[in-house]
Amino acid sequence: MEIKIPVHIAIIMDGNGRWAKRQGMPRIMGHYRGAEVAEEITKACIDLGVRYLTLFAFSTENWKRPKEEVNLLFDLLRNYLTSKREDLNRLGVRLRFIGRRDRIDPDLRDLMTDLEQETSKNNRITVILAVDYGGRDDIIRAVNRALREGLLDLDEETFSKFLDLAGVPDPDLLIRTAGERRVSNFLLWNLAYTELYFTDVCWPDFTKEELLRAIEDFSRRKRKFGRVLDE
Ligand code: IPE
Ligand code: IPE
Ligand code: MG
């Protein structure tokens, strides 16, 4: 079978809490391990030639979690971004963030902007971290931006330029770990024709082999985009 490498893979990294609980550890330990896995999967994607990797790190709904968990998640992100700065450049990772910025601590917000600028010339892979991201929020912000620019008659192409993933091809493959089969307000607009792949493996146990299994499955899909395929 011919293996088709998706240009853009999006991942809902789920199951950190359950994974930790299963080992009798606090939920945050699952998030620590999850961050390491995100790094390993980024490297695997670079090796495979994936061009865009979008990772759902924190949703607009995740603010409803206990304050301690929310704080620890943002501490983890801050520490990770600080300590991985050089690695990102060495690996050729261009880092981008999608989601709201207005509810994020100013120091972290500045770090995010700095890293986007600092890595903007890297071109082996673009890693897009979705932080305080919601698909509906993305669409509403886009509508408001378009209105503010005085645009009253939009088509799909013009509208999509206002979305957070402007200029990025739609995901070819969406992976969700930990057995849940829902989109949970991830990229609602951009997933219109994305192939969906679900696995029961929790994110902290996700490996390059699991990634390859998902890509193999993707390679067998017949993408039709509404057309009739000539058999
Ligand atoms: C995904 O793992 C990470 C985030 C949502 C930040 P969860 O924390 O949702 O883990 P479960 O689903 O509770 O096991
Ligand atoms: C989706 O996972 C968000 C992230 C992975 C960041 P959740 O664990 O928050 O989703 P639900 O609550 O199970 O739908
Ligand atoms: Mg979850």
Side-chain angles (χ1 to χ4, degrees):
M1 186 196 48
E2 186 207 346
I3 290 292
K4 295 184 193 124
I5 300 297
V7 174
H8 183 176
I9 299 181
I11 308 184
I12 302 178
M13 311 181 288
D14 199 15
N16 293 352
R18 276 164 280 172
W19 178 87
K21 209 167 167 203
R22 217 184 286 145
Q23 343 248 330
M25 297 191 298
R27 290 177 55 83
I28 191 69
M29 294 309 289
H31 298 314
Y32 276 107
R33 176 66 199 138
E36 287 172 5
V37 172
E39 191 182 350
E40 287 159 20
I41 293 304
T42 299
K43 287 181 187 150
C45 284
I46 293 174
D47 293 343
L48 290 166
V50 174
R51 303 294 305 163
Y52 299 90
L53 175 65
T54 300
L55 300 170
F56 205 3
F58 192 88
S59 77
T60 48
E61 287 73 36
N62 287 149
W63 293 107
K64 295 174 192 156
R65 294 188 177 202
K67 203 168 183 334
E68 312 84 73
E69 180 168 342
V70 171
N71 288 340
L72 285 167
L73 275 167
F74 279 102
D75 287 347
L76 175 62
L77 179 65
R78 190 182 285 107
N79 290 339
Y80 222 76
L81 292 178
T82 312
S83 66
K84 298 294 165 182
R85 228 177 162 128
E86 276 168 31
D87 290 354
L88 289 170
N89 286 313
R90 189 172 42 78
L91 291 168
V93 174
R94 176 176 183 181
L95 196 59
R96 262 177 79 165
F97 294 91
I98 57 171
R100 297 175 59 147
R101 303 271 171 119
D102 58 321
R103 303 191 285 198
I104 291 174
D105 281 351
D107 66 313
L108 178 57
R109 193 161 61 215
D110 291 346
L111 179 60
M112 286 158 67
T113 317
D114 283 354
L115 276 171
E116 284 183 321
Q117 271 162 10
E118 195 181 306
T119 63
S120 65
K121 299 274 167 352
N122 297 340
N123 60 10
R124 286 195 74 192
I125 194 169
T126 299
V127 173
I128 299 154
L129 282 185
V131 180
D132 198 4
Y133 179 87
R136 289 184 173 176
D137 179 75
D138 188 3
I139 291 169
I140 289 293
R141 279 186 290 110
V143 168
N144 284 323
R145 246 177 274 151
L147 287 173
R148 275 197 298 274
E149 292 198 12
L151 292 168
L152 292 169
D153 190 16
L154 293 160
D155 55 28
E156 290 187 11
E157 201 196 326
T158 316
F159 178 69
S160 65
K161 292 198 175 88
F162 289 95
L163 289 165
D164 284 347
L165 280 187
V168 175
D170 287 342
D172 302 289
L173 172 64
L174 171 78
I175 298 173
R176 182 167 188 153
T177 59
E180 245 62 73
R181 288 158 194 252
R182 54 178 172 257
V183 173
S184 298
N185 201 14
F186 200 24
L187 307 160
L188 297 180
W189 173 277
N190 319 263
L191 293 177
Y193 262 104
T194 301
E195 297 294 332
L196 311 178
Y197 179 88
F198 300 100
T199 168
D200 288 337
V201 173
C202 285
W203 180 249
D205 281 332
F206 197 80
T207 56
K208 184 173 185 175
E209 285 65 43
E210 297 291 338
L211 175 69
L212 286 171
R213 210 163 294 158
I215 293 177
E216 249 172 57
D217 191 272
F218 168 81
S219 303
R220 280 193 291 270
R221 310 270 180 104
K222 287 198 170 62
R223 303 188 79 187
K224 293 164 51 177
F225 301 100
R227 290 180 299 238
V228 174
L229 287 186
D230 299 324
E231 294 294 334

Coordinates of all heavy atoms in Angstrom, one line a residue, residues 12-20 27 30-31 56-59 62 65 69 73 176-178 180 182 202-204, ligand 1:
I12 N -6.1 16.2 18.8 CA -6.7 16.5 20.1 C -6.1 15.6 21.1 O -6.3 14.4 21.1 CB -8.3 16.3 20.0 CG1 -8.9 17.2 18.9 CG2 -8.9 16.6 21.4 CD1 -10.4 17.0 18.8
M13 N -5.1 16.2 21.8 CA -4.3 15.4 22.7 C -5.1 15.1 24.0 O -5.1 16.0 24.9 CB -3.0 16.2 23.1 CG -2.3 16.7 21.8 SD -0.8 17.6 22.2 CE -1.4 19.1 23.0
D14 N -5.8 14.0 24.1 CA -6.8 13.8 25.2 C -6.3 12.6 26.0 O -5.7 11.7 25.5 CB -8.2 13.6 24.6 CG -9.2 13.9 25.7 OD1 -8.9 14.4 26.8 OD2 -10.4 13.5 25.5
G15 N -6.7 12.6 27.3 CA -6.5 11.5 28.2 C -5.4 11.6 29.1 O -5.0 10.6 29.8
N16 N -4.8 12.8 29.3 CA -3.7 13.0 30.2 C -4.2 12.7 31.6 O -3.4 12.0 32.4 CB -3.2 14.4 30.2 CG -2.6 14.8 28.8 OD1 -2.4 13.9 28.0 ND2 -2.3 16.1 28.7
G17 N -5.3 13.2 32.0 CA -5.8 13.0 33.4 C -6.1 11.6 33.7 O -5.7 11.1 34.7
R18 N -6.8 10.9 32.8 CA -7.1 9.5 33.0 C -5.8 8.6 33.1 O -5.7 7.7 33.9 CB -8.0 8.9 31.8 CG -9.5 9.2 32.1 CD -10.3 9.1 30.8 NE -10.1 10.2 29.9 CZ -10.6 10.3 28.7 NH1 -11.2 9.2 28.1 NH2 -10.4 11.4 28.0
W19 N -4.9 8.9 32.2 CA -3.6 8.2 32.2 C -2.9 8.3 33.6 O -2.5 7.3 34.2 CB -2.7 8.8 31.1 CG -1.4 8.1 31.1 CD1 -1.0 7.0 30.4 CD2 -0.1 8.6 31.7 NE1 0.3 6.7 30.5 CE2 0.9 7.7 31.3 CE3 0.2 9.7 32.5 CZ2 2.2 7.9 31.8 CZ3 1.5 9.8 33.0 CH2 2.5 8.9 32.6
A20 N -2.9 9.6 34.1 CA -2.2 9.8 35.4 C -3.0 9.1 36.5 O -2.4 8.4 37.4 CB -2.2 11.3 35.7
R27 N -3.4 14.4 38.2 CA -3.6 14.7 36.8 C -2.5 15.4 36.1 O -2.2 15.2 35.0 CB -4.9 15.5 36.7 CG -6.2 14.8 37.0 CD -7.4 15.7 36.9 NE -7.5 16.4 35.6 CZ -8.0 15.8 34.6 NH1 -8.6 14.6 34.6 NH2 -8.0 16.5 33.4
G30 N 0.1 13.7 34.2 CA -0.3 13.3 32.8 C 0.0 14.5 31.8 O 0.4 14.2 30.7
H31 N -0.2 15.7 32.3 CA 0.1 16.8 31.4 C 1.6 17.0 31.2 O 2.0 17.3 30.1 CB -0.5 18.1 32.0 CG -2.0 18.1 32.2 ND1 -2.8 17.7 31.2 CD2 -2.8 18.5 33.2 CE1 -4.1 17.8 31.6 NE2 -4.1 18.3 32.8
F56 N -4.0 20.7 20.0 CA -5.0 21.3 20.8 C -4.4 21.2 22.3 O -4.4 20.1 22.9 CB -6.3 20.6 20.7 CG -7.5 21.4 21.1 CD1 -7.4 22.8 21.4 CD2 -8.8 20.8 21.0 CE1 -8.6 23.5 21.7 CE2 -9.9 21.6 21.3 CZ -9.8 22.9 21.7
A57 N -4.0 22.3 22.8 CA -3.4 22.3 24.1 C -4.3 22.8 25.2 O -4.2 22.3 26.4 CB -2.1 23.2 24.1
F58 N -5.2 23.8 24.9 CA -6.1 24.3 25.9 C -7.3 24.9 25.2 O -7.2 25.8 24.4 CB -5.4 25.4 26.8 CG -6.1 25.8 28.0 CD1 -5.9 25.1 29.2 CD2 -7.0 26.9 28.0 CE1 -6.6 25.4 30.3 CE2 -7.7 27.2 29.1 CZ -7.5 26.5 30.3
S59 N -8.5 24.5 25.6 CA -9.7 25.0 24.9 C -10.3 26.1 25.6 O -10.1 26.3 26.8 CB -10.7 23.8 24.7 OG -11.4 23.6 26.0
N62 N -11.8 24.8 28.7 CA -10.9 24.3 29.8 C -10.7 25.2 30.9 O -10.3 24.8 32.0 CB -9.5 23.9 29.2 CG -9.6 22.6 28.3 OD1 -8.8 22.4 27.4 ND2 -10.5 21.7 28.7
R65 N -12.1 24.2 34.4 CA -11.4 23.2 35.2 C -11.0 23.9 36.6 O -11.0 25.1 36.6 CB -10.2 22.6 34.5 CG -10.6 21.8 33.3 CD -9.5 21.1 32.7 NE -9.9 20.3 31.6 CZ -9.3 19.2 31.1 NH1 -8.1 18.9 31.6 NH2 -9.8 18.6 30.1
E69 N -5.5 23.3 38.4 CA -5.1 22.6 37.2 C -4.8 23.6 36.1 O -3.8 23.5 35.3 CB -6.2 21.6 36.8 CG -5.8 20.9 35.5 CD -6.6 19.6 35.1 OE1 -7.3 19.1 36.0 OE2 -6.5 19.2 34.0
L73 N -1.3 24.1 34.2 CA -1.2 23.9 32.7 C -0.4 25.1 32.1 O 0.4 24.9 31.2 CB -2.6 23.7 32.1 CG -3.2 22.3 32.1 CD1 -4.6 22.4 31.8 CD2 -2.4 21.4 31.1
R176 N -7.7 12.0 17.4 CA -8.1 12.2 18.8 C -7.8 11.0 19.6 O -8.2 9.9 19.2 CB -9.6 12.6 18.9 CG -9.9 12.9 20.4 CD -11.2 13.5 20.7 NE -11.3 13.9 22.1 CZ -12.1 14.8 22.6 NH1 -12.8 15.6 21.8 NH2 -12.1 15.1 23.9
T177 N -7.1 11.2 20.7 CA -6.7 10.0 21.5 C -7.7 9.8 22.7 O -8.6 10.6 22.8 CB -5.3 10.3 22.1 OG1 -5.3 11.5 22.9 CG2 -4.2 10.4 21.1
A178 N -7.6 8.8 23.4 CA -8.3 8.5 24.6 C -9.8 8.1 24.5 O -10.5 8.2 25.4 CB -8.1 9.6 25.6
E180 N -12.5 9.2 23.1 CA -13.6 10.1 22.9 C -13.8 10.4 21.4 O -12.8 10.6 20.7 CB -13.4 11.4 23.6 CG -14.3 11.8 24.8 CD -14.2 10.8 25.9 OE1 -13.2 10.8 26.6 OE2 -15.1 10.0 26.0
R182 N -15.5 12.9 19.6 CA -16.1 14.2 19.4 C -15.0 15.2 19.1 O -13.8 15.0 19.3 CB -16.9 14.6 20.6 CG -16.2 14.6 21.9 CD -17.0 15.1 23.1 NE -16.3 14.9 24.3 CZ -16.6 14.0 25.2 NH1 -17.5 13.1 25.0 NH2 -15.9 13.9 26.3
C202 N -4.3 6.7 25.4 CA -4.3 8.0 26.0 C -3.0 8.8 25.5 O -2.0 8.2 25.2 CB -4.2 7.9 27.5 SG -5.8 7.5 28.2
W203 N -3.1 10.1 25.4 CA -2.0 10.9 24.8 C -0.7 10.6 25.4 O 0.3 10.4 24.7 CB -2.4 12.4 24.9 CG -1.3 13.2 24.3 CD1 -0.5 14.1 24.9 CD2 -0.9 13.2 22.9 NE1 0.4 14.6 24.0 CE2 0.2 14.1 22.8 CE3 -1.3 12.6 21.7 CZ2 0.8 14.4 21.6 CZ3 -0.7 12.8 20.5 CH2 0.4 13.8 20.5
P204 N -0.5 10.4 26.8 CA 0.8 10.2 27.3 C 1.4 8.8 26.8 O 2.6 8.6 26.9 CB 0.6 10.1 28.8 CG -0.6 11.0 29.0 CD -1.5 10.7 27.8
Ligands
IPE1 C1 -6.1 16.5 27.6 O1 -6.2 15.6 28.7 C2 -5.3 17.8 28.0 C3 -6.1 19.0 28.1 C4 -7.4 19.1 27.9 C5 -5.4 20.2 28.6 P1 -7.3 15.8 29.7 O2 -6.8 16.6 30.9 O3 -8.6 16.2 29.1 O4 -7.4 14.2 30.2 P2 -8.8 13.5 30.6 O5 -9.7 13.6 29.4 O6 -9.4 14.2 31.8 O7 -8.3 12.1 30.9

